[in-house]
Amino acid sequence: TENELSESYHVSRVTVRKALAVLSESGYLERKSGKGTFVAEKKLQRNITEVISFSDMCRMKNATPGAKTIKIALEDPSERDLTEMSLHEGDKILIVERIRYMDNVPVILEFNKFPESFSFLFGENLNDTSLYDVLQNHNIIFDHSDKTLDIVFASAQESKILGISKGYPLLRIESTIYNTDCSLVQRCKQLCIGDKFKFTI
């Protein structure tokens, strides 16, 4: 309580209130109406306009990134895939689905789509590693993207994977990501637990 903090640090309650306000404004504390003030959970922060790996986001916050591959397969593209990835009839796409972890806690369900030429990823260990680091080792660098964001609600399967309740709000980020000359395109959908992230534009 404010009284306990006042007695512990030998300062007035006014000083305690000011200190709590500063810490809340800085994101270290969260004030919850009717409940009190709590230490804020660690949030990953990123500029939504940049192409940055999840692993780099974690490192910037002194958090440990993790990943678990739940699917990697060649599949038929959708009509949207054909258009946005400049594919031809009969082409396949590589699907890579992963769970992303921050400090061993699942925070993102990630769906990646690549041209069939990325089939070399079948031979890579994509667990607990940055997908972008793997691609850079193959001289593939994505540097700009188009994104759309909206709110969706976790299905039963998504809630089980992410360890949240069914219907929990998720931030859905759909990206079309390009390399420098737009000759290679990746499509990505991320379902993010919204209260684990802070985005800037």
Side-chain angles (χ1 to χ4, degrees), residues 17-89:
R17 287 196 190 104
K18 287 181 178 179
L20 293 177
V22 170
L23 290 169
S24 298
E25 182 69 23
S26 301
Y28 294 105
L29 299 178
E30 287 181 332
R31 289 182 167 180
K32 299 181 180 179
S33 179
K35 295 184 178 180
T37 303
F38 303 86
V39 176
E41 288 189 51
K42 186 183 293 183
K43 290 189 178 184
L44 295 177
Q45 187 168 348
R46 63 168 289 187
N47 186 323
I48 197 65
T49 62
E50 297 177 344
V51 176
I52 182 172
S53 74
F54 172 82
S55 296
D56 284 341
M57 273 197 294
C58 285
R59 294 177 190 124
M60 289 164 61
K61 284 293 182 180
N62 295 316
T64 302
K68 178 182 178 182
T69 303
I70 55 178
K71 179 180 178 180
I72 180 167
L74 284 174
E75 296 184 357
D76 293 324
S78 66
E79 289 297 323
R80 185 176 174 186
D81 294 329
L82 287 171
T83 301
E84 294 193 9
M85 300 174 71
S86 300
L87 302 176
H88 301 96
E89 291 293 339

Side-chain angles (χ1 to χ4, degrees), residues 121-161:
L121 290 174
F122 278 111
E124 299 282 353
N125 180 8
L126 302 180
N127 293 318
D128 292 329
T129 189
S130 166
L131 185 54
Y132 281 8
D133 286 349
V134 172
L135 295 177
Q136 284 185 22
N137 290 336
H138 290 267
N139 298 314
I140 298 170
I141 299 174
F142 292 106
D143 75 340
H144 63 284
S145 65
D146 297 325
K147 293 183 175 71
T148 60
L149 291 79
D150 63 352
I151 300 295
V152 296
F153 302 96
S155 67
Q157 182 180 10
E158 292 160 356
S159 63
K160 183 177 180 180
I161 290 172

Side-chain angles (χ1 to χ4, degrees), residues 3 11 34 46 69 103 122 141 154 164 196 200:
N3 280 336
V11 296
R46 63 168 289 187
T69 303
D103 292 337
F122 278 111
I141 299 174
I164 54 178
K196 302 292 185 184
T200 59

Side-chain angles (χ1 to χ4, degrees), residues 1-6 16:
T1 66
E2 291 181 1
N3 280 336
E4 289 171 329
L5 289 170
S6 178
V16 169

